[in-house]
Amino acid sequence: MLLALVQSNEEGQVCYQELIELMSSKRSSSFRRAIANGRRTLQREILLDETGLGLYKRFVRYVAYEILPCETDRRWYFHQNRLCPPPVFIAIVTIVQIIVFMCYGIMLNKWVLQTYQPDFMKSPLVYHPGHRAQVWRFFSYMFMHVGLEQLGFNALLQLMIGVPLEMVHGILRISLLYMAGVLAGSLTVSITDMRAPVVGGSGGVYALCSAHLANVVMNWAGMRCPYKLLRMILALVCMSSEVGRAVWLRFSPPLPSSGPQPSFMAHLSGAVVGISMGLLILRSYEESLQKQCSWWVIVFSFITFLLFAIFWNIFAYELLGVQIPPPP
């Protein structure tokens, strides 16, 4: 990196500020451009040419090519990665979801279509429109799942996509994206499907997946992950089938139930959050979001939606005369 920076300057010198930015692992836009221009003169500019790597460094290289579209960013992430802090957010969320599911599965002796069990819907974690005054339910529903198939799908996707994203972009950005998808999911259901409960972490999962897929499409030429077209098609097919299954369970449940089944709108709102907020986060690798005008536009839009949803939940149900099914 230092050699590339020297070769990019006309005088062949590095100023003090550029040296500080290099040693402190911080890169300004001018510093990034210098590295991008200077790397053309490096004899070995492709990270895949690195040999003699251990298992962990090979995995880091795989993550770099899986997530980042620019060779300069890949090399920078590969050489400065120290696994500190470790990617624990997605792992902890997945473990808690599995533990909660197993506890209810053992207690109810039911591992599929758990929402048809009245005791399941009595959980203080499920979002139910009759309990919308309990604010934590707008977040805690992500730990509950319809059944083993929904849990398996969400856990697999968020581990395969969320852990590499968290390794590259950090716990703060990825947790923000995931929780924004979760919150947007429950709030969207409370506005568009006012009688339906919500369970499952699909809002956060779809925020991660849609952000990653949108980033791959926007940087198609620069992405070097193998079989990217086939993998994208498979991801879209899986996500679409999951949405279709959720729609079917909402409007044509296979068994009679005492109330409406969980809504599918959390999937769609999570995807919208991923394409809007998540795409900007993933495209701004090691760049300050606070300095970008588009970031503040997205934050302002999300806050506006949040305020509207709060007033909607306070006043709209009574004004519209919505008949909410009695809470379990």
Side-chain angles (χ1 to χ4, degrees):
M1 289 296 179
L2 183 60
L3 179 61
L5 183 61
V6 172
Q7 294 172 341
S8 66
N9 294 336
E10 295 181 358
E11 300 178 355
Q13 297 177 347
V14 178
C15 71
Y16 179 73
Q17 184 59 39
E18 290 172 330
L19 180 62
I20 292 299
E21 291 175 351
L22 176 62
M23 300 307 295
S24 61
S25 298
K26 294 181 180 179
R27 293 184 291 172
S28 64
S29 57
S30 60
F31 184 78
R32 288 168 58 87
R33 286 195 298 270
I35 293 294
N37 294 330
R39 72 181 177 86
R40 299 190 184 96
T41 61
L42 295 177
Q43 295 181 355
R44 192 175 66 185
E45 65 179 44
I46 304 300
L47 185 57
L48 288 175
D49 294 339
E50 297 280 356
T51 57
L53 301 177
L55 180 62
Y56 170 71
K57 294 302 289 185
R58 288 201 300 268
F59 177 69
V60 171
R61 181 175 61 182
Y62 164 79
V63 170
Y65 275 90
E66 186 74 17
I67 303 300
L68 296 171
C70 176
E71 186 66 25
T72 304
D73 287 341
R74 297 187 193 112
R75 292 185 66 88
W76 184 269
Y77 167 72
F78 178 80
H79 289 294
Q80 63 91 31
N81 176 265
R82 296 294 183 271
L83 198 61
C84 184
V88 297
F89 174 77
I90 296 297
I92 291 176
V93 168
T94 304
I95 291 173
V96 173
Q97 290 173 341
I98 294 174
I99 292 176
V100 171
F101 178 82
M102 292 183 64
C103 290
Y104 277 94
I106 295 174
M107 180 178 65
L108 304 175
N109 193 26
K110 192 175 182 64
W111 301 93
V112 295
L113 297 177
Q114 290 186 349
T115 52
Y116 291 89
Q117 174 61 252
D119 291 336
F120 179 85
M121 298 304 292
K122 293 179 181 179
S123 170
L125 302 178
V126 174
Y127 168 79
H128 190 281
H131 293 306
R132 64 187 184 279
Q134 300 174 357
V135 180
W136 72 84
R137 291 178 180 260
F138 287 90
F139 294 95
S140 62
Y141 77 93
M142 71 179 185
F143 298 115
M144 308 291 290
H145 287 82
V146 172
L148 185 61
E149 65 285 353
Q150 186 192 28
L151 173 65
F153 178 83
N154 286 347
L156 181 63
L157 275 183
Q158 66 190 21
L159 287 176
M160 291 181 60
I161 297 179
V163 171
L165 287 177
E166 189 177 345
M167 289 179 62
V168 174
H169 297 282
I171 184 174
L172 182 61
R173 292 190 176 191
I174 298 305
S175 60
L176 173 63
L177 176 59
Y178 189 91
M179 298 307 296
V182 170
L183 179 59
S186 55
L187 291 177
T188 301
V189 171
S190 69
I191 296 173
T192 60
D193 199 356
M194 301 171 67
R195 302 181 69 251
V198 191
V199 294
S202 298
V205 173
Y206 274 62
L208 296 178
C209 294
S210 59
H212 178 58
L213 293 180
N215 189 44
V216 172
V217 172
M218 293 292 292
N219 302 279
W220 187 263
M223 301 301 294
R224 291 293 181 267
C225 48
Y227 309 108
K228 56 185 176 182
L229 180 59
L230 177 61
R231 294 165 64 181
M232 174 166 289
I233 293 175
L234 289 177
L236 291 175
V237 169
C238 292
M239 293 171 66
S240 301
S241 62
E242 174 63 16
V243 173
R245 175 183 171 278
V247 174
W248 172 64
L249 289 176
R250 174 67 180 89
F251 296 109
S252 300
L255 298 173
S257 58
S258 57
Q261 289 301 295
S263 177
F264 60 91
M265 291 302 298
H267 300 70
L268 305 181
S269 59
V272 172
V273 169
I275 294 175
S276 56
M277 180 185 297
L279 181 58
L280 179 60
I281 290 177
L282 301 192
R283 292 180 63 185
S284 302
Y285 170 66
E286 279 204 349
E287 294 180 6
S288 176
L289 293 173
Q290 292 83 351
K291 297 180 180 179
Q292 303 184 43
C293 179
S294 54
W295 169 251
W296 291 110
V297 171
I298 292 175
V299 170
F300 177 77
S301 302
F302 189 83
I303 293 177
T304 302
F305 165 73
L306 179 62
L307 295 175
F308 171 78
I310 291 175
F311 280 98
W312 182 276
N313 278 272
I314 294 175
F315 301 109
Y317 281 80
E318 293 183 3
L319 293 176
L320 298 177
V322 178
Q323 298 296 323
I324 302 176

